[in-house]
Each structure stands twice: as structure tokens, then as C-alpha cells.
Amino acid sequence: MRPRGPATRHLIVTDDPVLELRDVVRDYPGRTAVDGASFALPSGGITCLLGPSGCGKSTLLRLIAGLEPVDAGEIRIRGHAVAVPGTTAAPEHRGVGLVFQDNALFPHLNVSANVGFGLAAMAADARRARVAALLDRFHIAHLADAWPHMLSGGEQQRVAIARALAREPSLLLLDEPFSGLDGHLRGAVRDALLADIRAAGTSVLIVTHDPEEAMMIADNLILMAAGRIVQTGRPEDCYHQPVSIAAARLLGDVAVIDAVVTNGIADTALGAVQADAIPDGAAKLAVRPDAIVRSPAGVAATVSATRFAGHLYIVEAFAADQHFTIQLPGKPPAIGEQVTLALRLDVRALVVRDGD
Ligand SMILES: Nc1ncnc2c1ncn2[C@@H]1O[C@H](COP(=O)(O)OP(=O)(O)OP(=O)(O)O)[C@@H](O)[C@H]1O
């Protein structure tokens, strides 16, 4: 097990959080899957938990759902402690709804019975009304009497989400809910489903490893790497103001440029930027690829490769012994051609001390 670092608290919104994790740890033999996770989730809205494969996202979701115990720390839902070491409230007592990738409907129950499954304690009339309202909300009323094996993947998903919302949970947990959707329909199907989920007013935590999707659908992001929460916040803030180069990489391509900091200015081959609070000496500048542009007053660079990426070209170039990957719209330069490159004047850059 790794020594634990100092706990960092990530709070997206502090008042009335639906979910709060404090220094949560989950150890498996030989590895710590969740390593001191702390964050709070606001009531309402969609939050995406994003990170590369194996970083601990599903484990964290299982801890929140109550399918596994925590080894250290605490989980609170609507202010109630539901997990501390040695005590794990059962999933059905947490007020969370959970939908896994495979949707896992009960094969021997029709759609209505699947959706109403958790409502056995309700009077029959009230149960029928709740189920009917959910079938309407998720546009599956016409499938009320169908069996799970008769449904498409998208229909099964709607049934699974309606079922998870039947008991009006405080929090809906979705594990990679869109991974099974077909490419060109994916966006439309996803957006329609999310609109229906938003209309239900439940707070939603979605696990995904797709950064573009996460930024598109989330009100807030939780970025995770190697068992740790590395940053939380609004997608725009996480994208433009990453806390580290590793955090920046979780959301997309990053160009890392050598810099030398002197008196709060980081100087690079492509221009200088402000670098307050960074000590003098060698540093790295991290920018999004669109922050490097062709400019007549720029530094001469030699193009070594170009790749077509649909709406733009990815161009590799060398200047001052450094390699740059940039994005250019329109006709690309030829291999071997000289281009002049500079940092965009309004560049938003992360400057870190070399080695950080
Ligand atoms: N029950 C378990 N026993 C032992 N190790 C486990 C167990 N479950 C997960 N792990 C390990 O813990 C780490 C985190 O796994 P987890 O499934 O939470 O990651 P993930 O981010 O959800 O990955 P993916 O995106 O690939 O689903 C992985 O290295 C995994 O092999």
C-alpha cells in the first residue's frame, strides 16, 4: 500500500450536499483502489466522475451505493453517515438508485413489474400510478407489458433508469450508461435520456471515461486518477484551469513546453506568459493545442507530420529543439515546410515548476 498523502477536500458546492465523501479509502489485496477521496456533490444536476480505465471509478460508485465497505473515511448521504469502517448501511437504506452498464432487468418480470419492483410496500393504486408516471416520463408506456428480452438496448436502459428512480432516491448512480449506444445516435439518445432524468429532479452521478462526453453533459466534474480525486469543478474551469498537467491530460490533449521563469514571467520558445507564484528557474508550460497558432512574428518551426482529423489538421513541428503538436484549420503545411508559431495572445496556460 502507498503511504497516504495529505487529505485534500474537494467541494463543488458546500451548502446542502446530497453526497459527501471524507477521506474515503478502499484497499484490495496489493492495491489501493480508492485512496483518500473527498468531495461533496450538490443537490440536483448532473456530475460526471471521469478518469482512465482502472483508476477506481466503479469502486467508488460501489462504495457510494453500499455494495462494498469503506476501509477508512466516511460517506454521508443527505447528511446521514451511511459508511464508516465497520459499518455499512445496506443499499436499500441509502436512498440511492444504481444502474450498471448491463442494465440487468429481471428477465421474469415485464416492464411494469420491473419498474414497480421496489415499491412492494406501497398500496396497489399508488404503486400503479407511480409506475405509470415513470413509464410516461421515460417514454416507455407502450412497452408496459413487454418482456426484457423483447426490448432494444436503449429501451432496456430506460426501464432500468425508471426502476432506479421508482423509490425517489436522493441520488442516481449511473455506471458508463452510454457506452452501449450506437455511434451516430449516441448524442441524440443520450441527450433525450438526460433531459428526462433532469426532469425527474434527482441528483445524478455518472461514471464515464470519455472526457468529451463528460464535459458536454455534466454540470460538474470529478476528475480521478490512480485512486485519487485530482480536481473537481465546472467543466470549463477544469478544462481551462487545470490544477496539474496530469489533471489537464484527463480532459484532452495538452502541449507541454519548456519554460524558464524569471520574476513571475515564464519565457518559452513560442512567447512569454505570466507565471505568478512560480519560483525562478526551469518550468513547464501546459496549454491546449489550440493555444499555439501560426503567426508571422512567431518562431520558425519545421513541420514533421500532418494528420487529418475531420474539421482540422493535427500538425507536428519542431522548433528550438522542441516538438509541438498543434491544430490547424484549413489546408495543412507540407512536411518539411517552415511555419512560424507563437502562443495565442489570450492564452490560458498552466505553469508548473520543472519536476512537479
Ligand atoms: N474486487 C476486486 N478485487 C481486487 N481488485 C479489484 C476489485 N475490483 C477492482 N479492483 C481493482 O481496483 C482498480 C480499480 O478498479 P475499478 O473497476 O474501480 O476502475 P475503473 O476506473 O472503474 O475502471 P474501468 O473504467 O476500466 O471500469 C483496478 O486496478 C481493479 O483491477
Side-chain angles (χ1 to χ4, degrees):
M1 217 191 308
R2 272 186 292 150
R4 309 222 187 285
T8 48
R9 189 161 307 288
H10 293 272
L11 295 174
I12 294 171
V13 168
T14 47
D15 54 339
D16 191 27
V18 64
L19 170 72
E20 218 179 329
L21 271 71
R22 297 181 182 168
D23 306 326
V24 168
V25 173
R26 179 62 175 149
D27 291 321
Y28 293 128
R31 88 164 15 244
T32 299
V34 175
D35 190 3
S38 297
F39 62 84
L41 216 69
S43 247
I46 294 175
T47 304
C48 280
L49 173 60
L50 175 77
S53 185
C55 75
K57 305 180 295 295
S58 299
T59 304
L60 194 54
L61 213 62
R62 289 198 298 274
L63 298 178
I64 296 167
L67 302 176
E68 287 188 41
V70 300
D71 292 307
E74 183 182 37
I75 299 176
R76 300 174 81 84
I77 294 177
R78 285 250 167 273
H80 300 288
V82 294
V84 291
T87 307
T88 305
E92 60 273 23
H93 295 140
R94 293 190 172 205
V96 297
L98 177 63
V99 180
F100 288 110
Q101 261 173 59
D102 60 4
N103 297 318
L105 300 177
F106 302 118
H108 61 292
L109 298 179
N110 69 15
V111 165
S112 287
N114 260 284
V115 173
F117 181 80
L119 304 178
M122 250 181 158
D125 281 355
R127 186 167 70 227
R128 265 195 296 277
R130 171 80 56 80
V131 170
L134 282 161
L135 295 183
D136 271 346
R137 161 144 293 147
F138 287 95
H139 309 286
I140 45 177
H142 60 293
L143 301 171
D145 299 323
W147 299 94
H149 72 269
M150 300 159 67
L151 306 178
S152 72
E155 289 165 346
Q156 286 183 31
Q157 185 181 44
R158 288 183 163 267
V159 177
I161 290 172
R163 183 179 63 183
L165 289 176
R167 282 158 58 105
E168 302 186 323
S170 306
L171 177 63
L172 177 64
L173 307 173
L174 303 176
D175 195 354
E176 299 275 4
F178 311 115
S179 58
L181 295 179
D182 174 79
H184 82 283
L185 282 179
R186 184 177 167 123
V189 171
R190 178 195 65 207
D191 293 347
L193 186 60
L194 287 175
D196 294 334
I197 293 174
R198 274 191 196 275
T202 313
S203 313
V204 190
L205 179 60
I206 299 178
V207 161
T208 176
H209 62 265
D210 180 339
E212 282 182 15
E213 182 164 85
M215 287 191 284
M216 225 181 287
I217 65 179
D219 301 305
N220 289 295
L221 295 179
I222 298 171
L223 304 183
M224 193 171 183
R228 289 172 176 260
I229 308 299
V230 294
Q231 188 167 5
T232 64
R234 296 186 321 123
E236 293 89 337
D237 295 339
C238 292
Y239 186 80
H240 290 299
Q241 294 159 41
V243 293
S244 64
I245 293 177
R249 287 205 165 107
L250 291 176
L251 288 179
D253 288 340
V254 183
V256 179
I257 306 170
D258 292 339
V260 175
V261 174
T262 316
N263 296 329
I265 303 289
D267 205 14
T268 78
L270 302 186
V273 301
Q274 202 75 20
D276 302 326
I278 307 293
D280 285 2
K284 296 277 185 212
L285 191 85
V287 292
R288 296 296 174 193
D290 67 348
I292 302 174
V293 292
R294 288 178 82 165
S295 159
V299 173
T302 306
V303 172
S304 59
T306 63
R307 277 175 288 137
F308 180 54
H311 58 297
L312 43 74
Y313 283 85
I314 311 288
V315 175
E316 313 277 347
F318 283 89
D321 290 338
Q322 280 190 76
H323 167 248
F324 301 103
T325 302
I326 59 174
Q327 299 173 348
L328 295 179
K331 191 171 173 291
I335 291 172
E337 191 178 327
Q338 284 232 322
V339 289
T340 46
L341 302 178
L343 288 172
R344 229 173 47 201
L345 289 176
D346 61 346
V347 66
R348 293 203 246 189
L350 169 73
V351 184
V352 294
R353 231 176 16 182
D354 218 357
D356 281 359

